[in-house]
Amino acid sequence: MAFSMEFLSGALSFLLTLLVLSYLIGDNPLFRLATYTFVGVSAGYVAAVAWHYVLWPELFLPLLSGALQARLLLLPPLVLAILLLARLLPPLEKAGRIPLAFLAGVAAAVAVGGAVTGTLLPQARAVLIPFDVRSVITTGASPLERLFEGAVALVGVVSALVYFHFGARRQKEGNVRRSRINRLVAWVGRLFIAVTFGALFAGVYAAALTALIERLMFLWTFLRSF
């Protein structure tokens, strides 16, 4: 009996889905087999993509057939990659700290720059936009409604930042505490943070539930195909 590729892929998906769902009865070898398969396939796919789309066309091919200037520019990343692989050898493990330090520094700089330019500044600008009467009138929205939205956003941002401010002063009694206003604003920020995390959790739960329903429907559809 000949089986089509569609049937074989469906049967494999059916089997892997059952292996993953077996975690409902606890950790077991079947679930670990599915996770190991997923990790192995993902690692192999990432390695293949890195070789075909990054290493070979962007590094090795220019080194073999590129101009002299291009070869010189590619020598530093090649040396860093070799030093990173040197961590696999215990005698040369210290040499691998150089590319790791470089990667950590670049990652920190990119993260900080991205946080400032992509989150902090746009967030501050978005908070101030509802208070710009001209822009509100131009959009045709209700000024009072936009002002209320802006006030809520401003209170949420400021109070959340105050919640993470741990500065305190020594009181007359000798203990160290925040000021009363600081504690009040931090309490409001705590409410905003709780609502935010609740919304995020609801979104994650809804996405997971949607994925579960899709898998159950797949199992039912596959069984009905016989």
Side-chain angles (χ1 to χ4, degrees):
M1 180 179 179
F3 297 101
S4 63
M5 288 300 298
E6 182 179 357
F7 175 81
L8 293 177
S9 62
L12 183 60
S13 301
F14 179 83
L15 178 61
L16 290 175
T17 301
L18 290 181
L19 294 181
V20 173
L21 292 178
S22 67
Y23 188 74
L24 295 175
I25 60 176
D27 192 10
N28 57 84
L30 297 178
F31 173 76
R32 288 196 292 270
L33 176 62
T35 55
Y36 295 158
T37 303
F38 175 76
V39 173
V41 171
S42 300
Y45 177 77
V46 170
V49 170
W51 171 258
H52 286 286
Y53 293 98
V54 179
L55 294 178
W56 175 251
E58 301 294 338
L59 181 61
F60 291 104
L61 186 60
L63 284 174
L64 295 176
S65 59
L68 179 60
Q69 184 179 2
R71 294 181 181 181
L72 294 177
L73 291 176
L74 291 174
L75 284 179
L78 179 62
V79 172
L80 291 175
I82 295 175
L83 291 177
L84 187 60
L85 292 176
R87 289 185 60 85
L88 300 175
L89 303 175
L92 302 177
E93 184 178 0
K94 292 184 178 180
R97 297 177 182 177
I98 299 176
L100 287 180
F102 179 78
L103 290 175
V106 172
V110 172
V112 172
V116 172
T117 60
T119 302
L120 294 180
L121 294 181
Q123 180 70 25
R125 192 179 300 112
V127 170
L128 296 177
I129 286 177
F131 297 98
D132 188 358
V133 180
R134 294 181 179 178
S135 63
V136 172
I137 296 177
T138 303
T139 57
S142 173
L144 293 178
E145 181 180 354
R146 293 300 302 274
L147 185 62
F148 176 76
E149 294 177 357
V152 172
L154 181 62
V155 171
V157 171
V158 173
S159 59
L161 292 176
V162 172
Y163 176 78
F164 290 103
H165 176 67
F166 299 101
R169 294 182 179 180
R170 186 174 299 277
Q171 305 295 323
K172 295 181 180 180
E173 297 80 6
N175 55 350
V176 179
R177 296 183 61 185
R178 289 181 173 184
S179 63
R180 184 173 300 178
I181 298 178
N182 199 333
R183 293 199 304 270
L184 178 61
V185 177
W187 181 80
V188 176
R190 185 177 180 180
L191 292 180
F192 276 94
I193 294 173
V195 172
T196 302
F197 278 110
L200 291 176
F201 176 77
V204 172
Y205 179 78
L209 188 61
T210 302
L212 176 61
I213 294 174
E214 189 275 332
R215 285 289 88 189
L216 294 178
M217 290 298 298
F218 166 77
L219 294 177
W220 175 249
T221 304
F222 183 80
L223 291 176
R224 290 186 59 185
S225 63
F226 291 99

